[in-house]
Amino acid sequence: MTAPTLRPGGRSARVQESIHSAVRQLLEEQDRASLTVPQIAARAGVTPSTIYRRWGDLSALLADVALARMQPDNDPTHTGSLRGDIRAWAEQYLDEMSSEPGRNMLRDVQAALKPSYCATIIGGQLQTILDRFPNEPVPGVDRLINLIAAPIVFRILFSEAALEVEELHRLIEIAFSQ
Amino acid sequence: MTAPTLRPGGRSARVQESIHSAVRQLLEEQDRASLTVPQIAARAGVTPSTIYRRWGDLSALLADVALARMQPDNDPTHTGSLRGDIRAWAEQYLDEMSSEPGRNMLRDVQAALKPSYCATIIGGQLQTILDRFPNEPVPGVDRLINLIAAPIVFRILFSEAALEVEELHRLIEIAFSQ
């Protein structure tokens, strides 16, 4: 990630937020391929050189925005059971990542300085769920990532069709039957 | 006189092969970011417009070369047992994809017209292995892709470190214990 140490509310953080927000708005209005730095700068009310100085080029900025969007808006849903929580999380993740913005996010984020931050975000979410059930025997977070998040992402990027929900459920069962 | 389709050995196929081969050579000699179309054209002995006409741009050409390289050079290794063959295949795949050229291939191929061809190639390899042991109960190819290839690729693209060989072996055991 390019700018992890920004003091929230500082001038630099506000400039960054207005640029991120301009990118998000423009991505809703137009095709990603037609997006330009001067256009983003105009929308954010900054000069293009502010963007070039901070990110270097458009793909680095898009990667940064994608990474920020990977941060979930809220805590994983509570369903009352461990498997239920994992299922709900996995179904939402499958849903979000298979969407057009999700696919673009997965591609953009690979140009980020630390795409590995993805696994950290996912791991944090899964750990939050596991921590809710301290007395149940649970698979490790790394195993859950390998069995659940990896097939979702792999199928989106390198396969004809997204992972079927039935197979997703079976993979979750497999994770818990070890 | 010359056939317009890609008859192997035809003029068009020979031009394509010399361009692919120029890309492979140049990628061994220099950084990918510094590669240009005129440079490739010069090495292949064609004009840049031949490349632009056929691929449109550099990233499409790189994607095409990456996809061609995904095609394995030989049949999966014979070890005498089903799990042995799967292990040997998976270890080689992990090895190749975690290398610098492998990582670049995974990134480039996403710009291809059909990145889904990756899953087809992997599936074909795994099916070849399964077909050697017609009398053993075996997991389906799709399950094997989800449990073995997906974590390998996901960890390379989105995580700090490659998949550990020990975890790879455990995932293979899980695939066979279902």
Side-chain angles (χ1 to χ4, degrees):
Chain A
M1 208 164 49
T2 23
T5 56
L6 290 180
R7 195 161 42 81
R11 194 188 59 156
S12 198
R14 271 180 289 125
V15 168
Q16 174 180 305
E17 178 40 40
S18 77
I19 294 169
H20 273 222
S21 151
V23 171
R24 287 193 302 265
Q25 281 171 31
L26 289 165
L27 282 175
E28 279 175 23
E29 295 165 19
Q30 72 183 59
D31 200 57
R32 183 153 133 287
S34 67
L35 209 63
T36 66
V37 168
Q39 208 184 9
I40 296 165
R43 179 69 64 100
V46 301
T47 62
S49 68
T50 302
I51 294 180
Y52 288 121
R53 208 165 34 233
R54 183 168 195 123
W55 283 279
D57 62 14
L58 179 59
S59 70
L61 170 56
L62 288 177
D64 205 20
V65 172
L67 210 44
R69 293 182 111 178
M70 290 267 171
Q71 287 284 13
D73 300 327
N74 33 38
D75 245 28
T77 315
H78 286 261
T79 66
S81 78
L82 172 55
R83 285 191 209 201
D85 285 10
I86 295 281
R87 267 195 188 212
W89 178 87
E91 285 172 15
Q92 195 189 337
Y93 188 70
L94 172 59
D95 229 52
E96 285 176 5
M97 292 300 128
S98 334
S99 69
E100 189 63 23
R103 281 163 198 268
N104 291 335
M105 237 192 293
L106 283 176
R107 288 196 191 103
D108 285 341
V109 87
Q110 292 177 59
L113 232 52
K114 279 176 80 65
S116 64
Y117 196 56
C118 284
T120 311
I121 293 172
I122 294 172
Q125 290 266 296
L126 291 168
Q127 192 62 56
T128 301
I129 294 175
L130 296 183
D131 288 346
R132 290 173 184 165
F133 303 90
N135 299 320
E136 295 194 35
V138 293
V141 164
D142 278 336
R143 177 65 53 77
L144 286 176
I145 291 178
N146 290 338
L147 293 182
I148 301 173
I152 290 176
V153 170
F154 179 84
R155 294 279 171 188
I156 289 168
L157 294 179
F158 298 109
S159 178
E160 201 71 51
L163 193 70
E164 307 259 349
V165 177
E166 291 71 32
E167 174 71 356
L168 180 63
H169 289 168
R170 265 177 249 123
L171 291 169
I172 294 172
E173 287 312 304
I174 290 175
F176 279 95
S177 67
Q178 294 309 308
Chain B
M1 284 262 257
T2 41
T5 54
L6 273 182
R7 193 161 45 78
R11 194 186 59 159
S12 200
R14 269 181 290 126
V15 167
Q16 175 180 305
E17 179 40 37
S18 76
I19 293 167
H20 273 221
S21 150
V23 172
R24 288 193 301 267
Q25 281 172 29
L26 289 165
L27 283 175
E28 279 177 23
E29 295 165 19
Q30 72 184 60
D31 201 55
R32 183 153 133 286
S34 67
L35 210 62
T36 67
V37 169
Q39 209 183 9
I40 297 165
R43 179 68 63 102
V46 302
T47 61
S49 68
T50 302
I51 294 179
Y52 289 120
R53 210 166 32 233
R54 183 167 196 124
W55 283 279
D57 64 13
L58 179 60
S59 71
L61 170 57
L62 289 177
D64 206 19
V65 173
L67 210 42
R69 293 182 111 178
M70 289 269 173
Q71 286 285 14
D73 300 326
N74 32 38
D75 245 30
T77 314
H78 286 261
T79 68
S81 78
L82 173 54
R83 284 189 207 200
D85 286 10
I86 295 281
R87 267 195 188 211
W89 178 88
E91 285 172 16
Q92 194 188 339
Y93 188 71
L94 172 60
D95 230 51
E96 285 175 6
M97 293 302 128
S98 332
S99 69
E100 189 63 23
R103 283 163 197 267
N104 290 335
M105 238 193 296
L106 284 175
R107 291 198 188 102
D108 284 341
V109 88
Q110 292 176 61
L113 233 53
K114 281 177 78 65
S116 65
Y117 195 56
C118 283
T120 311
I121 293 173
I122 294 172
Q125 290 265 295
L126 292 168
Q127 192 60 56
T128 301
I129 295 175
L130 296 184
D131 289 346
R132 292 175 184 164
F133 303 90
N135 300 319
E136 295 193 34
V138 293
V141 164
D142 278 337
R143 177 65 54 75
L144 284 176
I145 292 177
N146 290 338
L147 292 183
I148 301 173
I152 289 176
V153 171
F154 178 85
R155 293 280 171 187
I156 289 167
L157 295 178
F158 298 110
S159 177
E160 200 71 50
L163 193 69
E164 306 258 350
V165 176
E166 291 70 34
E167 174 71 355
L168 180 63
H169 289 169
R170 265 178 248 123
L171 291 168
I172 294 172
E173 288 312 304
I174 290 175
F176 280 94
S177 66
Q178 294 310 307

